[in-house]
């Protein structure tokens, strides 16, 4: 019997890679999209003829109940959120509605329609924020440093709560930063790769960035969606850190990206205080031992390979 999966946030970076993976595994894939005048399908244009779409919104529980009743999925992957940390300062209430309470509405819809549905919640390393220990594991206390991080903590704990209260197969992946050529331009890695490509092609002269010393555990999104899928194949639900276990600074990202474009980053990068966060997260580095031991998950793409892949893609995108 063909498995059926519903993905919220299918038009985003992770949604597109997860849709590819599930289609390769023989799934029927349903993408939940908000009914807006302009749905951006650019990341899944190569897949859209193989995906079913259903209208739904994390702000509207009735729409999710309707989508679940219509399609009766075996698995639900909740990747939708207001997912940009900087924006969460300007839209803190909306971030809470979508990224926090939206999880409750979706879990409630599953509980009402079919509690046998397996559920994946996209948790985030931003929940660790002002880190209590290095590296971070599934047991590290949370100390979020942005409205986005706070909302993700709520989404994480409500998933645990519904799992324990209603015996749902609900798992959370505490994913550390994961990037790809499909990353949005507002995210720092893609901003770096895209601007490096523009400078190489003479379309720009400078790249304005905030804190170059901020460090992150950066991996490839295509590797990370495989961990999501593996979580829902386990007999028992659980929470897993998904990370590379290596940390790199924004400065290192600049070095690799500009070198790939044949440039010296120091000639082009400008420190701009506009891009400093009100409360910075300094060092995030995850310990994915549990995911490796239980799920058999491993990363395949390294940091330098990832950044170079993104620069190559942006050069091609810009006609270079």
């Amino acid at each position: 019997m063909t498995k059926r999966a519903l993905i919220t946030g299918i038009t985003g970076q992770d949604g597109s890679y997860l849709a590819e993976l599930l289609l390769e595994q023989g799934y029927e894939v349903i993408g939940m999209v908000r009914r807006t005048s302009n749905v951006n399908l650019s990341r899944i244009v190569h897949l859209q003829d193989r995906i079913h779409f259903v209208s739904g919104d994390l702000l509207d529980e009735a729409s999710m109940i309707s989508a679940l009743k219509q399609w009766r999925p075996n698995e639900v992957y909740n990747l939708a959120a207001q997912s940009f940390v900087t924006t969460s300062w300007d839209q803190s209430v909306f971030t809470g509605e979508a990224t926090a309470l939206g999880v409750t509405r979706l879990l409630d819809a599953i509980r009402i329609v079919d509690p046998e549905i397996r559920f994946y919640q996209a948790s985030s390393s931003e929940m660790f924020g002002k880190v209590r220990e290095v590296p971070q594991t599934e047991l590290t206390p949370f100390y979020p440093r942005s409205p986005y991080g706070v909302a993700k903590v709520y989404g994480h704990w409500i998933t645990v709560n519904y799992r324990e209260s209603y015996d749902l197969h609900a798992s959370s992946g505490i994913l550390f930063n994961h990037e790809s050529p499909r990353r949005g331009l507002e995210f720092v890695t893609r901003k770096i790769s895209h601007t490096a490509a523009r400078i190489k092609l003479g379309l720009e002269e400078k790249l304005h960035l905030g804190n170059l010393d901020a460090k992150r555990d950066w991996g490839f999104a295509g590797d990370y969606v495989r961990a999501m899928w593996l979580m829902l194949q386990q007999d028992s639900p659980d929470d897993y850190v998904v990370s590379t276990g290596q940390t790199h600074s924004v400065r290192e990202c600049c070095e690799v990206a500009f070198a790939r474009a044949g440039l010296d980053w120091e000639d082009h990068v400008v420190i701009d205080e506009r891009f400093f966060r009100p409360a910075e997260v300094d060092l995030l580095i995850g310990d994915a031992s549990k995911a490796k031991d239980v799920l058999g998950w491993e990363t395949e793409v390294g940091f330098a390979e990832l950044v170079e892949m993104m620069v190559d893609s942006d050069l091609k995108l810009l006609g270079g």
Side-chain angles (χ1 to χ4, degrees):
M1 184 178 133
T2 302
K3 276 191 176 180
R4 194 176 280 169
L6 185 145
I7 304 172
T8 74
I10 195 168
T11 59
Q13 169 189 258
D14 292 7
S16 66
Y17 282 107
L18 180 61
E20 283 179 348
L21 173 69
L22 294 176
L23 288 168
E24 287 170 9
Q25 298 286 347
Y27 279 67
E28 190 174 357
V29 175
I30 301 98
M32 192 178 89
V33 293
R34 284 181 294 168
R35 190 179 291 282
T36 61
S37 57
N38 183 24
V39 178
N40 182 3
L41 299 177
S42 60
R43 293 185 181 92
I44 54 171
V45 68
H46 61 300
L47 303 172
Q48 67 183 79
D49 292 341
R50 301 168 63 196
I51 295 170
H52 306 286
F53 293 97
V54 63
S55 291
D57 195 315
L58 291 180
L59 305 187
D60 179 9
E61 185 171 330
S63 71
M64 291 184 282
I65 290 173
S66 176
L68 294 177
K69 282 183 174 177
Q70 179 183 348
W71 287 101
R72 296 286 174 173
N74 306 98
E75 299 170 1
V76 170
Y77 296 85
N78 183 37
L79 310 185
Q82 189 301 99
S83 60
F84 189 40
V85 174
T86 305
T87 300
S88 78
W89 294 102
D90 301 323
Q91 300 182 14
S92 55
V93 174
F94 172 70
T95 299
E97 283 287 352
T99 308
L101 290 175
V103 186
T104 313
R105 296 186 189 103
L106 185 47
L107 283 165
D108 227 28
I110 289 170
R111 180 181 65 83
I112 291 165
V113 176
D114 180 3
E116 294 301 309
I117 292 172
R118 297 191 171 197
F119 175 77
Y120 171 82
Q121 166 60 12
S123 289
S124 167
S125 61
E126 289 286 333
M127 300 189 304
F128 295 121
K130 189 174 182 178
V131 298
R132 306 284 83 187
E133 63 182 6
V134 179
Q136 293 88 54
T137 72
E138 294 80 7
L139 300 178
T140 301
F142 299 135
Y143 195 142
R145 298 274 277 171
S146 66
Y148 170 77
V150 172
K152 279 293 186 183
V153 169
Y154 178 97
H156 179 84
W157 281 118
I158 202 69
T159 300
V160 173
N161 191 263
Y162 268 64
R163 175 170 77 215
E164 295 177 351
S165 301
Y166 301 112
D167 198 28
L168 298 183
H169 194 298
S171 295
S172 280
I174 306 172
L175 270 58
F176 281 64
N177 293 64
H178 45 290
E179 318 297 316
S180 76
R182 300 178 195 171
R183 192 56 142 154
L185 289 169
E186 67 271 27
F187 290 88
V188 68
T189 48
R190 182 72 196 290
K191 181 180 178 181
I192 291 168
S193 69
H194 193 257
T195 308
R198 286 180 62 82
I199 292 171
K200 174 67 174 178
L201 298 174
L203 301 172
E204 201 126 10
E205 292 183 4
K206 298 293 180 183
L207 168 60
H208 291 257
L209 291 173
N211 182 10
L212 296 187
D213 295 318
K215 293 181 177 179
R216 294 291 184 274
D217 184 328
W218 275 304
F220 173 50
D223 287 340
Y224 284 37
V225 299
R226 197 168 63 255
M228 300 177 188
W229 174 72
L230 286 168
M231 288 177 213
L232 297 201
Q233 310 318 304
Q234 305 306 306
D235 290 337
S236 302
D238 209 340
D239 306 321
Y240 298 88
V241 164
V242 180
S243 65
T244 68
Q246 299 177 3
T247 188
H248 299 274
S249 66
V250 173
R251 181 180 280 102
E252 285 179 78
C253 189
C254 290
E255 289 171 359
V256 175
F258 279 82
R260 184 65 169 184
L263 302 166
D264 184 341
W265 73 275
E266 292 184 278
D267 294 338
H268 303 283
V269 175
V270 178
I271 305 295
D272 190 330
E273 290 189 1
R274 289 178 303 162
F275 297 109
F276 280 79
R277 291 183 185 180
E280 182 57 86
V281 173
D282 297 313
L283 178 58
L284 289 171
I285 178 168
D287 179 354
S289 299
K290 182 176 172 182
K292 292 176 181 178
D293 294 344
V294 178
L295 306 177
W297 177 79
E298 293 284 350
T299 55
E300 293 179 3
V301 177
F303 174 73
E305 184 184 352
L306 169 63
V307 176
E308 290 173 354
M309 175 202 305
M310 293 173 69
V311 173
D312 292 349
S313 174
D314 278 325
L315 283 167
K316 184 177 178 182
L317 182 71
L318 294 164

